[in-house]
Amino acid sequence: MRHIACLLVCVIAASNLSAAPVTVASPNGQVAVSFEVNDGRLFYSVDWQDRSIVEPSKVEILSNAKTSITGHAARESDSKWKPVYGQFSTIRDHHRELTLSLTCNDKSVELVCRVFDSGVGFRFILPAESAGEKLTYFSECKLVDGETYYSGQRGTQFNDPAKVKRPSVPLVTQRHDGLHVGFLESDLYSAAGFEIMRIGFAAANQTFTGTSSAVCSGEGQVTPWRVILIGETAGDLTINTVALNLAAPCKLSDTSWIKPGKGLWDWRIHGYDNGEFVYDINSRSYLRLIDFCADQGLEYLTVDDHWFTSARDGKMTVSPDVDIAKVISYAQEKGVMIMLYYDRRKGNFGDKTLFEHYAKLGAAGMKYGFMGNKAAFTRESIDAAAKNHLLINFHDGPVPMAGVERTMPNLISREYCHGQQDSRSAFTPETFLKMAMVSSLVGPLDMSNGNFGINSINAGERLKGPKKKNSYISTVVSEVARNLVIYTGLVTLPDAPEEYLKKADLFDFLKQMPATWDDTRILNSKIGNYISVARRTGDEWFIGSVNDQNARQLDIKLDFLNPGQTYEATVFQDSADSHGVKNPEAYEIHTINVKQGDVLPAKMAVGGGHAIILRPSTMTPVAIK
């Protein structure tokens, strides 16, 4: 790591620090942030390549406190770190950092701002004398040139912020000039006492606001980072590492027990009848699913709700049809790990002993449902799970703690999205594409993609299928590609083994697809319309494209391949007669040899998709027409 404390900050009118604009630029000079005090209030602004991103916006930690700048310091930092799982095997953390010494109502406070080539983060650090004081972290974000806005778990779209009751994290703005800007927070995990930032909109000055509160714990108390991401495309934001770099480094000394992977999930299979066997909530069904996982090389099985009927004071009443000890023992014999559901609505087992109980059962992790959107509870649960070497997957409206998978990588996934068929309602291709480029900014998502028996689901042949028949719009190739597009540490496949075996050649893509990656590129993206994602592990590339309800063709430019190397491309695509409503299960597979610079056409049906596996080959490439 190197630190440079010169030529990073430009100070104008330095003889009057309280009024002097202080500007810090990113390492390549592309992003610049300025701070200044006007009428006793601190304001910041953000520019990108001489274009205004955020106009002067107020930021404070003590409500209506009179603020002055008493000094500043700057440095540059350049380092690399390795996540336990994710979209990259190595992440570069290159930023310039400005620390402002402030006086707020006669109290000394620091504001730290880090500026990256693709975004900005700033947070407050409180002194010992602030212990017990009410902190209100308030920051305006006066975004410039906004055309369309998206926010929250479903990427809700709106054009007039004044007409939206309450936007939520993350907020994404698509500007008239094509730039995309994200507004969220990072490292909420480290900010003890703070709950999730609430986003508002002040119509009077056309400004978004972010607010969160806590009681100061004393010296070293930090706020979350307020984060602004900048990208030329929507896809740029999905692989932006600013929020991860701002999060605290991994707290776990041993992460060898944290294993990203893929697995089945029983909940959407209930009622599936293969003619000889009907899946239900019982040991027979779980054992059958474990056999399939073991045979197909899937590492996990998630056992969902109703395996226990009630819980209270450290005791659970297990369903009479489930022998959970036998199920977990059998899974261990087969080399399959069990993610075990906990539903708070069935009673309070007691969180102080809950995680120890699950560990003693032999579970590899917990899927925690109905815990509520509470940051303090989420921190404690992540910590307790880690103490007992348990992965954790939060469901049912969880806290979107961006960056926490760096600090506590046992947070393997979460349902900060609409899980497919959740509440017995199917999401559309357009909603998928909004979630893939909006809600994904907070980190790994559990979205329940990968159904192969779409006709069966639409016919109402599943107990947990959509209440409205024929409302699930997708093709089987799109289902494959969606599992590549969505970043998560635990790929959870929701369909019956028999449906995957019917299309074993298509299922082969999911079997071979890794759950963690060395590199990721976004090849095409437009929120709500389409996306193409390329991910690499080792020398193999996997590419997935997902489409809205307009048939289209995208160009897959293979510029990222190694020069001089021939690759065998196995292409999984919609058939000519595929259709997300009328003919969702038709697909084709073919193989071709390609090289760097070639362009593959991704032809996608209504609600369709496209997927490719690229492997180095010794064969001579042929021209792509």
Side-chain angles (χ1 to χ4, degrees):
M1 183 182 294
R2 57 193 176 94
H3 302 291
I4 302 172
C6 61
L7 300 179
L8 303 185
V9 179
C10 173
V11 181
I12 303 171
S15 61
N16 183 355
L17 286 173
S18 292
V22 182
T23 300
V24 58
S26 66
N28 68 0
Q30 183 167 272
V31 180
V33 183
S34 294
F35 292 90
E36 61 181 323
V37 172
N38 287 322
D39 295 327
R41 301 289 184 263
L42 180 65
F43 290 80
Y44 76 97
S45 58
V46 181
D47 292 337
W48 183 85
Q49 292 187 351
D50 297 323
R51 279 185 266 181
S52 178
I53 301 297
V54 180
E55 290 184 340
S57 301
K58 185 171 68 172
V59 56
E60 63 184 15
I61 187 60
L62 301 175
S63 292
N64 299 316
K66 185 175 182 179
T67 301
S68 61
I69 300 174
T70 59
H72 67 267
R75 67 171 190 167
E76 182 169 338
S77 178
D78 191 357
S79 62
K80 292 181 179 180
W81 59 277
K82 292 185 175 295
V84 174
Y85 71 90
Q87 302 189 93
F88 305 95
S89 58
T90 301
I91 293 177
R92 186 183 184 187
D93 180 358
H94 190 194
H95 64 267
R96 288 175 176 169
E97 179 180 285
L98 170 68
T99 300
L100 292 179
S101 298
L102 306 173
T103 298
C104 302
N105 283 355
D106 299 324
K107 286 187 171 61
S108 297
V109 175
E110 288 186 340
L111 183 143
V112 179
C113 177
R114 292 181 183 171
V115 188
F116 302 78
D117 293 337
S118 58
V120 175
F122 52 87
R123 79 181 340 166
F124 285 99
I125 302 176
L126 284 303
E129 58 266 27
S130 296
E133 185 154 2
K134 172 71 178 295
L135 305 176
T136 300
Y137 188 10
F138 175 83
S139 63
E140 297 177 336
C141 187
K142 193 168 186 177
L143 295 167
V144 179
D145 196 33
E147 178 180 19
T148 309
Y149 305 88
Y150 307 85
S151 80
Q153 290 185 244
R154 300 194 186 191
T156 301
Q157 180 177 342
F158 53 98
N159 296 101
D160 185 353
K163 294 181 178 180
V164 178
K165 185 175 182 181
R166 177 171 287 180
S168 53
V169 175
L171 174 70
V172 173
T173 303
Q174 180 178 318
R175 294 168 34 126
H176 289 91
D177 63 6
L179 285 180
H180 289 71
V181 180
F183 177 48
L184 62 156
E185 63 181 350
S186 180
D187 205 26
L188 176 60
Y189 173 88
S190 299
F194 282 91
E195 292 292 327
I196 185 68
M197 172 177 67
R198 303 296 180 184
I199 297 179
F201 185 74
N205 59 356
Q206 296 291 294
T207 301
F208 288 99
T209 61
T211 307
S212 55
S213 301
V215 175
C216 185
S217 60
E219 186 172 6
Q221 165 84 61
V222 297
T223 68
W225 294 93
R226 294 286 157 85
V227 182
I228 296 165
L229 308 179
I230 306 168
E232 295 191 60
T233 68
D236 289 343
L237 299 186
T238 67
I239 55 173
N240 190 303
T241 59
V242 167
L244 278 171
N245 279 324
L246 290 170
C250 184
K251 290 181 60 178
L252 305 178
S253 57
D254 174 24
T255 59
S256 61
W257 54 275
I258 300 173
K259 302 182 186 299
K262 297 167 293 186
L264 280 188
W265 175 36
D266 73 299
W267 192 245
R268 297 280 182 255
I269 304 172
H270 298 164
Y272 181 90
D273 186 350
N274 68 9
E276 299 177 353
F277 188 93
V278 179
Y279 288 91
D280 206 342
I281 303 171
N282 54 44
S283 296
R284 292 175 63 244
S285 296
Y286 298 147
L287 298 180
R288 187 180 180 92
L289 295 173
I290 289 167
D291 283 339
F292 178 79
C293 290
D295 292 343
Q296 301 298 317
L298 303 179
E299 296 92 347
Y300 289 91
L301 170 66
T302 296
V303 174
D304 212 281
D305 206 1
H306 299 317
W307 70 270
F308 73 96
T309 59
S310 64
R312 183 169 181 169
D313 299 331
K315 295 182 180 179
M316 280 183 169
T317 302
V318 178
S319 167
D321 297 321
V322 175
D323 185 340
I324 197 64
K326 178 180 179 180
V327 169
I328 293 179
S329 176
Y330 186 73
Q332 291 172 338
E333 291 174 12
K334 290 285 188 172
V336 175
M337 293 173 280
I338 298 292
M339 294 288 293
L340 201 55
Y341 192 81
Y342 177 65
D343 184 350
R344 286 180 69 88
R345 297 174 304 175
K346 295 184 183 302
N348 189 359
F349 183 93
D351 285 320
K352 290 186 177 180
T353 57
L354 174 65
F355 296 92
E356 181 182 1
H357 178 68
Y358 270 54
K360 287 181 178 178
L361 287 174
M366 180 188 295
K367 180 177 177 180
Y368 205 132
F370 300 99
M371 77 300 295
N373 188 355
K374 301 173 183 176
F377 168 82
T378 301
R379 292 183 191 98
E380 293 169 0
S381 297
I382 293 172
D383 290 348
K387 182 179 179 181
N388 289 281
H389 282 198
L390 291 173
L391 305 180
I392 193 160
N393 176 5
F394 289 111
H395 261 239
D396 309 297
V399 178
M401 283 188 174
V404 70
E405 68 271 26
R406 177 187 184 183
T407 311
M408 298 297 291
N410 64 307
L411 185 284
I412 202 71
S413 193
R414 88 259 282 174
E415 193 190 25
Y416 194 72
C417 57
H418 180 195
Q420 182 58 274
Q421 305 176 72
D422 195 20
S423 298
R424 300 196 65 189
S425 172
F427 60 68
T428 65
E430 289 78 6
T431 297
F432 169 82
L433 288 158
K434 290 172 185 177
M435 293 187 295
M437 287 174 267
V438 179
S439 52
S440 67
L441 301 191
V442 302
L445 299 180
D446 187 0
M447 202 184 287
S448 312
N449 299 296
N451 285 295
F452 276 23
I454 300 173
N455 288 324
S456 169
I457 293 169
N458 273 324
E461 296 175 358
R462 315 291 178 87
L463 294 178
K464 304 300 190 301
K467 292 179 181 179
K468 184 179 179 180
K469 293 183 180 180
N470 301 312
S471 61
Y472 188 172
I473 302 170
S474 185
T475 69
V476 288
V477 180
S478 178
E479 292 296 305
V480 164
R482 291 177 185 192
N483 273 298
L484 179 81
V485 167
I486 297 300
Y487 147 54
T488 182
L490 179 60
V491 178
T492 303
L493 303 175
D495 214 341
E498 289 80 359
E499 291 298 330
Y500 294 126
L501 293 176
K502 288 177 186 177
K503 303 175 181 68
D505 53 354
L506 182 63
F507 185 59
D508 196 49
F509 183 98
L510 295 175
K511 285 175 58 178
Q512 297 185 53
M513 183 187 79
T516 190
W517 306 95
D518 293 330
D519 192 13
T520 298
R521 314 283 180 92
I522 309 299
L523 309 181
N524 302 290
S525 64
K526 186 176 181 181
I527 299 179
N529 296 112
Y530 56 80
I531 191 169
S532 299
V533 179
R535 303 190 190 275
R536 177 183 63 81
T537 293
D539 55 6
E540 296 182 348
W541 285 92
F542 290 73
I543 304 174
S545 300
V546 177
N547 190 32
D548 63 10
Q549 293 182 66
N550 296 289
R552 66 162 44 85
Q553 176 176 309
L554 295 175
D555 289 339
I556 306 300
K557 299 178 180 179
L558 304 180
D559 299 338
F560 52 84
L561 297 180
N562 291 333
Q565 174 68 61
T566 304
Y567 290 80
E568 180 183 84
T570 303
V571 181
F572 306 77
Q573 64 185 31
D574 295 326
S575 298
D577 60 346
S578 294
H579 193 282
V581 176
K582 301 174 183 178
N583 192 19
E585 295 187 25
Y587 65 95
E588 298 174 351
I589 301 173
H590 68 271
T591 301
I592 191 171
N593 293 319
V594 298
K595 64 184 185 305
Q596 185 190 58
D598 284 342
V599 178
L600 288 175
K603 297 179 180 180
M604 296 182 287
V606 169
H610 193 271
I612 309 169
I613 301 176
L614 291 160
R615 292 189 177 90
S617 168
T618 57
M619 299 181 67
T620 302
V622 297
I624 303 296
K625 296 182 180 180

